[in-house]
Amino acid sequence: MVDFLEKFKTKTENVSASTKPLVHRLIREILDVNLHLKKWSTKVNFVHLIPDMKDKYDKYWGDYAKMSDYVYFAILLDPTMKSQLLLYTFKEMIGSKDETLSKSEIELKAYEMLYEVERKIENFFKTYLEKYD
């Protein structure tokens, strides 16, 4: 049980730190928790715990539309991440949510989501330029 819960303690501490900017690391932490839940869902002693925890995870982080666009903008603006990490994130979110989709359907949907975020950040900058140019 300690091995299982240690990951959540560490991730909570990482995301909750107020002395350093973390928005660029948030998506990695979110994906790591999702992977952790998948890994432990196959363990016999944890089968009864995982569905409730996965529901909580999905409530806050498992849905593209529920996450703030600013999290995605931070990923796009971070020189170490860019579009490829965001595309990977979308693929993971889609694949976790709907396991009936094929790889090509997941990839197509992920590219559509990436395009939408890139369009939103472009509009954000255009609005900023119009207002403060």
Side-chain angles (χ1 to χ4, degrees):
M1 184 62 97
V2 172
D3 289 339
F4 175 68
L5 294 176
E6 184 68 28
K7 174 76 77 176
F8 296 103
K9 177 185 176 288
T10 304
K11 297 302 172 189
T12 301
E13 289 171 349
N14 287 348
V15 173
S16 300
S18 61
T19 58
K20 53 188 171 190
L22 293 170
V23 72
H24 68 285
R25 292 179 51 202
L26 179 63
I27 204 72
R28 287 182 179 164
E29 302 296 340
I30 290 169
L31 290 174
D32 196 31
V33 168
N34 187 42
L35 183 64
H36 186 68
L37 288 172
K38 279 183 185 177
K39 175 184 157 190
W40 284 83
S41 67
T42 60
K43 310 261 188 213
V44 176
N45 295 339
F46 294 89
V47 172
H48 66 284
L49 291 174
I50 300 299
D52 289 337
M53 295 181 85
K54 183 72 171 133
D55 287 344
K56 288 280 189 191
Y57 171 86
D58 287 342
K59 180 180 177 182
Y60 295 103
W61 305 113
D63 188 2
Y64 154 80
K66 289 183 182 178
M67 287 181 65
S68 171
D69 288 335
Y70 294 109
V71 172
Y72 300 135
F73 294 173
I75 293 167
L76 290 175
L77 295 173
D78 184 335
T80 64
M81 296 188 185
K82 300 289 184 191
S83 297
Q84 290 305 312
L85 178 65
L86 198 53
L87 184 62
Y88 173 79
T89 300
F90 290 149
K91 287 178 186 178
E92 288 295 311
M93 289 174 138
I94 295 165
S96 291
K97 200 150 186 94
D98 189 356
E99 296 177 0
T100 62
L101 296 175
S102 69
K103 278 190 172 193
S104 60
E105 291 171 319
I106 291 171
E107 192 156 323
L108 179 63
K109 199 168 186 177
Y111 273 107
E112 289 171 0
M113 293 165 68
L114 178 62
Y115 174 76
E116 180 68 21
V117 171
E118 287 175 342
R119 188 184 60 73
K120 285 180 180 179
I121 198 169
E122 184 179 338
N123 288 338
F124 178 77
F125 280 117
K126 283 179 182 177
T127 303
Y128 180 84
L129 278 174
E130 288 172 7
K131 191 171 184 177
Y132 298 107
D133 191 17

